[in-house]
Amino acid sequence: MRRRLIIDTDAKNEADDQFAIVHALLSPSLDIAGIVPAHFGDARSRHSMQDSRDEVDLLLRLLDRDDVVVANGAEHAVPDALTPVDSDGARLIISEARKPGPLFVIFLGPLTDMASALLLDPSIADNPDLTVVWIGGTPYDEVTGGERRGEFNLSNDVTAANVVFQSRLRVWQIPMTVYRMVGVGYAELDEKVAPHGELGEYLVRQLKEFNAEHVDPEIEYRSLGDSPAVSVVLNPDGAVWRHRPVHVFGDDARMTNVIVEGRSVLVAESVDVRFLLEDMFAKIKAHAARR
């Protein structure tokens, strides 16, 4: 059975959403029920959701996929824990969650649209076939590579994350200590992705351009940190999971010591990066060969 999937993505925030979106769209076992472009705050752009929409549209053109539903998400974070931001994207999530059969909704950015869908229709939390997969959040143990800082996807809507995590929804979380380990260098990208058509060339070029504009000092790699959300739907056994009690998220985009009684989340402690990257690269190559 193909896995039904919605992709909620802040696609123009960095340069890794693009790889995850392409990987999902090229995977025959995934039935893409829609893509929801998401905001990524206003620090870099005053119209970040529209930027994400434009990037999604570009990727669909490169893939010749005019059959995919695209429904815009919220333009900003939820104002409080009781007030949704109504959008076509939130309504798409509700519509698909009401249908029979398993549904995965992967979030490559903030959880605004999931929280809004839940606030608009609380009954979807009772759907046992609905799984939310989120790339985001700080570590559960103080192993952070030395820095003590908040996490970006969480910071763009802390309230939404608390709404989702404290609900009855089934949540799979891939925190920053795991997603940042999906590192890939320019040399590998130049060999395995860039030569394969207009799509491959664009994926690598936009990644290098992002680094050149936003990273100092110069580096020759990037983490494809959003891609684990796709790989764990394709292969749930390709991760090491642990149930963790849900903590309240603080305004500093970190976990507090306050535990939500009776709530747990399934947290990935590692993912099969070899499977993730090789499967993605092979599918990009095969797509170019078919054109």
Side-chain angles (χ1 to χ4, degrees):
M1 181 182 296
R2 298 176 71 205
R3 295 172 175 86
R4 192 161 45 105
L5 176 70
I6 293 174
I7 306 166
D8 192 290
T9 169
D10 56 347
K12 198 57 177 176
N13 171 47
E14 292 189 29
D16 52 341
D17 287 69
Q18 292 85 342
F19 287 83
I21 294 166
V22 166
H23 192 187
L25 288 166
L26 292 179
S27 295
S29 64
L30 300 182
D31 176 12
I32 308 301
I35 300 177
V36 180
H39 75 91
F40 47 92
D42 57 10
R44 191 175 301 147
S45 171
R46 302 180 71 87
H47 38 76
S48 59
M49 188 281 293
Q50 186 59 50
D51 294 341
S52 294
R53 172 62 191 252
D54 293 343
E55 188 72 358
V56 168
D57 289 343
L58 171 59
L59 292 171
L60 291 175
R61 288 196 298 271
L62 291 172
L63 286 161
D64 289 330
R65 291 293 301 270
D66 59 3
D67 60 314
V68 178
V69 173
V70 182
N72 288 350
E75 295 185 352
H76 54 78
V78 296
D80 57 63
L82 299 176
T83 307
V85 181
D86 202 348
S87 69
D88 291 343
R91 295 290 177 175
L92 174 67
I93 294 170
I94 293 169
S95 175
E96 291 296 324
R98 289 173 174 171
K99 295 178 181 178
L103 171 66
F104 291 87
V105 188
I106 64 173
F107 288 84
L108 313 182
L111 283 163
T112 307
D113 300 316
M114 191 66 243
S116 296
L118 187 62
L119 292 169
L120 289 165
D121 183 0
S123 72
I124 64 175
D126 296 317
N127 181 352
D129 291 327
L130 172 60
T131 303
V132 174
V133 183
W134 183 46
I135 298 286
T138 50
Y140 283 76
D141 301 308
E142 290 300 330
V143 182
T144 64
E147 75 270 28
R148 294 178 59 86
R149 57 184 174 85
E151 193 273 329
F152 185 80
N153 288 345
L154 175 58
S155 72
N156 280 324
D157 202 338
V158 172
T159 301
N162 279 323
V163 168
V164 171
F165 272 61
Q166 294 176 37
S167 74
R168 297 184 302 277
L169 287 166
R170 179 167 58 241
V171 178
W172 296 358
Q173 181 186 7
I174 303 170
M176 62 188 293
T177 39
V178 176
Y179 72 65
R180 68 183 181 184
M181 291 294 102
V182 191
V184 61
Y186 288 179
E188 185 175 11
L189 290 170
D190 287 341
E191 176 188 351
K192 295 183 178 179
V193 179
H196 300 304
E198 186 181 6
L199 174 66
E201 186 277 332
Y202 174 71
L203 288 173
V204 176
R205 172 166 52 84
Q206 62 87 31
L207 183 148
K208 292 181 178 180
E209 288 174 350
F210 181 89
N211 276 358
E213 181 176 355
H214 296 287
V215 181
D216 185 29
E218 182 178 353
I219 59 175
E220 55 177 280
Y221 67 93
R222 188 147 201 93
S223 171
L224 302 184
D226 288 315
S227 291
V230 177
S231 73
V232 299
V233 177
L234 288 170
N235 177 19
D237 291 333
V240 175
W241 301 98
R242 177 183 294 187
H243 282 284
R244 296 277 196 168
V246 166
H247 291 245
V248 174
F249 296 112
D251 290 339
D252 60 351
R254 295 180 59 84
M255 282 188 300
T256 70
N257 291 323
V258 179
I259 291 176
V260 180
E261 294 296 332
R263 275 291 292 163
S264 65
V265 59
L266 196 61
V267 180
E269 297 190 331
S270 64
V271 296
D272 186 345
V273 176
R274 191 218 64 82
F275 163 75
L276 186 165
L277 293 178
E278 292 293 341
D279 188 66
M280 182 201 311
F281 294 163
K283 287 170 177 171
I284 292 170
K285 180 179 179 180
H287 171 75
R290 291 193 296 268
R291 295 172 68 95

